[in-house]
Amino acid sequence: MSTAYQIVVCGSIVPDPLQTLEPVASPTGPALKNEMMLPAVLDPWAGHALYEAANLAKNQPGSKVWLVSLGPKAKLQQVMMTVAQKVPFELVALDGSASGFTDATETAAALADAIAAIPGLDKSKLLVFGGWESASRGAGATLQIVGERLGIVDQFQGVDQLTVNADGSLEILERIEGGKHQVSKCAGAPALLGWATGNLPEPKNNPQVGMVNMRTVMPALQKAKPTKLAGEGLSFASVALPKQLRETQIVKDKSPDGIAKEIVEWIKK
Amino acid sequence: METILVLAHTENDGSLAKSAREALHAAATLHKSLADSKLLVGLIGENIQAAANSIAASPVTKYFGVTGAEFCQSRYATDAAAAEAVFKAAQATVVVAPATSRWARVLPGVAQRLGGRADTHVTGVAVADGKISVSRWYYRQRMEGVLTRTPRPWILGIDPGSQTACDCGAGTATVEMVPVNLTDANKRTTVVGIREPKADAQTIRPDAQLLFVTGAGWTKKQADGQTHLPEAEKLILGFLKASRASLGSSKSLVDLGGEGQAVLPFLSHLNQVGQTGATPRHAKGLSTCCHGEEPHTVGWRFIGERRAISLDPNCGWARGKADVLYVADAFAVIAKVNELLAAGGTP
Ligand SMILES: Cc1cc2nc3c(=O)[nH]c(=O)nc-3n(C[C@H](O)[C@H](O)[C@H](O)COP(=O)(O)OP(=O)(O)OC[C@H]3O[C@@H](n4cnc5c(N)ncnc54)[C@H](O)[C@@H]3O)c2cc1C
């Protein structure tokens, strides 16, 4: 028997990792220099979660994928132009800060409310997905809090694989220490999965998928609820780039034998 | 007045991992600097007495425990229930816990349940003017922030490897057992096993001194216009065997597998270092055939000494990311390194 899931993926945008980032002080706390000018991408691990969600939905007829995103509306729109071409989903947008310096608890509260408000949400079919850590705050905290707020206590983090068994139970592989995976069996939905890289390549752009998605993406962005993250009780004493830039010694004209000898001595030191 | 609770889980053999002793060290540091603070320990696991005894000479004044077969499993529902119960028994304001995969899964959810806040990947704790502050990294190890919070409880997940481990001695600890009522709803998930490569195929060695990183260059056409995959495989595995290094990789190299190209079969995403990979901690790192782009090198934040071998003198490593860049053919250099290591390291 195949289960039709409601798969809600939490994921926002982050600065393109190829950009140089510099912290600055702003009236509301730390921020990035030229933050609104930096090109943005879908948060990578959340992206893997989205592709895994779409793949699961394809294999479980009747399933549907939502992407719940809290970020500055204009930037979300830019990033959605590409993301919407990847896989089918319905966007739920919240207009607010996607900064790494916001508080996970406040972000999670906004996301959980947005999920709970999805029309026709059926918790017995609900799988909440997301990246196990963002590339901004990098806390690995938001999803757990979303899960708690939604009353989901079957939670998994660092997920690389999800298999739906014939009896509807879920087999889940989570990353643990030392390059290993823990294998768990969960009775079924509702469950929450914070994805690591998973097993799927990034889907190619498909303009047809893009066209269908854009019908709901644009209205979702227009009605994106303004969301204020106040950072209640949180204050930063400093945010700084690491001091050590190394003085690289560039060794150009040494023979492989000479280099090998030097490396072996260094390893053994 | 802060009541500081160290929350740890035992290992399968009932012992405490080094990461738990690191959390205890961080908590003891806070305790020492905060007048009138209390230091307590909560232990969760199948059996916890041996673990409590192993740290009994620490400045901890009271021990709490949750035990039973159900708490042997690394599972959100039971771990959250146990952590919540211990917290309530201890009446803590600050919880310091090792950010193991088991605790990282559950701590932020526990903070939510208790109406508090959690900070994860904490790499340092300090007290100034009677206030606790913590350090952690933002934007994938690109910048370090120091922050403080007023809401309590405040749960701190300490990054394993970031602290010295407390070497407090053993003794006999009296543990107050805390009951936890589990329902069927807590047992919908069962841990059924661990999947890992065979011992001789395990290339990820967190305790190794050296991280050996391979880049996509190992699979590229070389000076003779050919690729040399079998030779690359032999050299890399040969080096790992002789040096006992841990194997890391660039994203480009591990991704090749997913794109259907011939690749090095012993590499997976678990080896990947960087923006969307791991940020391991090792004393030294040696990069080979890797360009050293920023999304890769952010994963080297906690590597001490860094050396790289690349054909490109203008690669990222040359720009302050490595201590030494050897502009050379890694195939030739590693072949010789392996020879020297096999011969006992003296040429
Ligand atoms: C969202 C996002 C996330 C990313 N996350 C990561 C991440 O987590 N980790 C990561 O690594 N990358 C990541 N990247 C990719 C990163 O930007 C680089 O593309 C990648 O690190 C390049 O890998 P490489 O250096 O192995 O390959 P290449 O750039 O192809 O470099 C190969 C190098 O090998 C050298 N070479 C070739 N033959 C030899 C030889 N015989 N001897 C010595 N040197 C030789 C070449 O000179 C070259 O410098 C990410 C990118 C994005 C956009």
Side-chain angles (χ1 to χ4, degrees):
Chain A
M1 186 201 70
S2 168
T3 315
Y5 293 109
Q6 297 182 340
I7 314 167
V8 180
V9 183
C10 301
S12 188
I13 54 172
V14 293
D16 182 329
L18 293 165
Q19 297 291 316
T20 304
L21 306 182
E22 203 183 309
V24 290
S26 85
T28 52
L32 298 179
K33 193 171 169 186
N34 298 328
E35 190 151 348
M36 287 311 284
M37 310 286 286
L38 289 168
V41 297
L42 181 64
D43 197 344
W45 274 315
H48 290 294
L50 179 64
Y51 310 145
E52 293 283 348
N55 188 52
L56 178 63
K58 200 172 73 193
N59 295 331
Q60 300 288 129
S63 299
K64 180 172 172 180
V65 177
W66 286 263
L67 174 63
V68 181
S69 249
L70 165 56
K73 199 158 134 174
K75 297 233 93 156
L76 272 183
Q77 182 171 341
Q78 277 169 20
V79 173
M80 285 309 142
M81 291 302 188
T82 339
V83 175
Q85 297 194 43
K86 300 282 181 196
V87 293
F89 63 83
E90 184 174 324
L91 179 71
V92 177
L94 297 170
D95 186 16
S97 172
S99 161
F101 303 111
T102 55
D103 190 314
T105 306
E106 295 175 1
T107 303
L111 294 176
D113 288 350
I115 295 171
I118 290 174
L121 193 77
D122 176 350
K123 246 183 78 178
S124 70
K125 298 179 177 170
L126 179 62
L127 296 178
V128 177
F129 280 16
W132 71 323
E133 276 180 16
S134 69
S136 45
R137 192 185 306 111
T142 311
L143 283 180
Q144 289 93 324
I145 303 169
V146 168
E148 279 290 321
R149 294 188 80 107
L150 296 172
I152 302 174
V153 296
D154 289 285
Q155 298 199 14
F156 307 87
Q157 295 296 332
V159 176
D160 271 332
Q161 198 175 303
L162 165 66
T163 313
V164 179
N165 295 323
D167 63 358
S169 64
L170 310 172
E171 187 189 84
I172 295 156
L173 259 62
E174 291 170 280
R175 290 186 183 185
I176 58 169
E177 284 77 7
K180 300 177 192 171
H181 282 113
Q182 171 170 299
V183 189
S184 298
K185 197 172 155 190
C186 173
L192 177 142
L193 286 79
W195 283 87
T197 308
N199 292 307
L200 302 172
E202 183 172 331
K204 301 250 176 319
N205 285 354
N206 179 338
Q208 272 162 340
V209 169
M211 259 160 35
V212 176
N213 277 343
M214 283 323 254
R215 277 188 224 140
T216 62
V217 165
M218 292 317 284
L221 286 164
Q222 272 151 17
K223 61 172 194 239
K225 191 173 152 201
T227 305
K228 192 156 166 43
L229 308 174
E232 212 65 64
L234 165 67
S235 57
F236 285 85
S238 66
V239 177
L241 294 175
K243 278 174 234 36
Q244 97 269 28
L245 191 63
R246 294 160 193 249
E247 278 185 32
T248 311
Q249 180 199 347
I250 302 178
V251 180
K252 272 191 181 149
D253 303 315
K254 215 169 189 160
S255 70
D257 285 13
I259 295 172
K261 189 167 167 257
E262 205 173 298
I263 288 177
V264 169
E265 278 163 10
W266 171 67
I267 292 175
K268 299 213 149 186
K269 205 167 57 187
Chain B
M1 192 191 85
E2 303 282 14
T3 301
I4 305 164
L5 172 72
V6 178
L7 194 61
H9 56 79
T10 53
E11 301 301 297
N12 283 342
D13 63 359
S15 69
L16 273 188
K18 179 166 168 278
S19 55
R21 287 176 169 269
E22 290 180 34
L24 179 53
H25 172 84
T29 310
L30 292 178
H31 168 59
K32 227 163 118 185
S33 320
L34 287 165
D36 304 327
S37 64
K38 280 200 269 184
L39 183 60
L40 315 173
V41 161
L43 295 170
I44 295 165
E46 187 162 13
N47 293 300
I48 52 106
Q49 189 61 47
N53 288 348
S54 74
I55 50 169
S58 66
V60 170
T61 51
K62 196 159 181 189
Y63 293 81
F64 298 88
V66 171
T67 58
E70 293 294 350
F71 301 101
C72 175
Q73 298 193 38
S74 167
R75 163 175 63 185
Y76 185 94
T78 41
D79 281 341
E84 182 185 4
V86 169
F87 171 86
K88 286 186 171 154
Q91 299 276 306
T93 56
V94 174
V95 177
V96 182
T100 56
S101 60
R102 179 169 177 180
W103 265 182
R105 184 195 299 118
V106 78
L107 292 177
V110 174
Q112 169 64 26
R113 228 175 247 196
L114 300 170
R117 296 285 190 274
D119 280 297
T120 55
H121 293 301
V122 170
T123 52
V125 296
V127 173
D129 302 328
K131 268 198 267 172
I132 299 176
S133 66
V134 305
S135 321
R136 66 182 305 283
W137 290 79
Y138 289 83
Y139 291 96
R140 297 295 296 157
Q141 284 69 249
R142 280 182 167 82
M143 55 194 79
E144 191 178 21
V146 179
L147 64 108
T148 176
R149 291 184 186 268
T150 48
R152 296 290 184 270
W154 188 12
I155 300 187
L156 311 178
I158 308 284
D159 251 4
S162 67
Q163 312 291 308
T164 44
C166 123
D167 60 359
C168 44
T172 308
T174 307
V175 183
E176 178 181 321
M177 291 300 170
V178 181
V180 181
N181 290 327
L182 295 180
T183 63
D184 286 347
N186 298 112
K187 300 181 204 165
R188 293 179 74 243
T189 292
T190 317
V191 177
V192 291
I194 302 293
R195 204 166 287 178
E196 60 182 312
K198 286 197 217 74
D200 56 346
Q202 178 56 279
T203 56
I204 297 172
R205 301 167 181 153
D207 298 328
Q209 277 282 100
L210 178 70
L211 174 72
F212 181 61
V213 162
T214 49
W218 283 105
T219 64
K220 298 265 159 82
K221 283 184 182 155
Q222 297 298 310
D224 60 0
Q226 308 290 322
T227 60
H228 294 266
L229 276 175
E231 194 188 340
E233 177 166 353
K234 196 171 134 238
L235 288 172
I236 296 165
L237 291 178
F239 179 81
L240 291 177
K241 194 161 170 229
S243 67
R244 303 301 301 161
S246 186
L247 179 63
S249 176
S250 73
K251 179 176 191 299
S252 298
L253 185 54
V254 293
D255 277 356
L256 288 174
E259 290 159 14
Q261 296 186 34
V263 272
L264 304 166
F266 47 90
L267 281 171
S268 79
H269 278 115
L270 296 178
N271 295 98
Q272 186 187 321
V273 169
Q275 175 87 24
T276 44
T279 310
R281 286 174 187 268
H282 298 278
K284 296 173 193 175
L286 176 64
S287 153
T288 51
C289 297
C290 163
H291 202 75
E293 266 194 50
E294 184 72 359
H296 174 71
T297 54
V298 290
W300 283 62
R301 177 65 63 219
F302 305 123
I303 304 296
E305 297 174 29
R306 307 176 184 177
R307 297 195 179 193
I309 309 169
S310 171
L311 286 174
D312 184 352
N314 299 314
C315 67
W317 299 111
R319 292 191 288 274
K321 296 190 192 292
D323 303 307
V324 184
L325 168 65
Y326 299 104
V327 181
D329 176 5
F331 280 81
V333 175
I334 296 300
K336 190 70 194 171
V337 167
N338 287 353
E339 246 177 59
L340 293 176
L341 288 174
T346 36

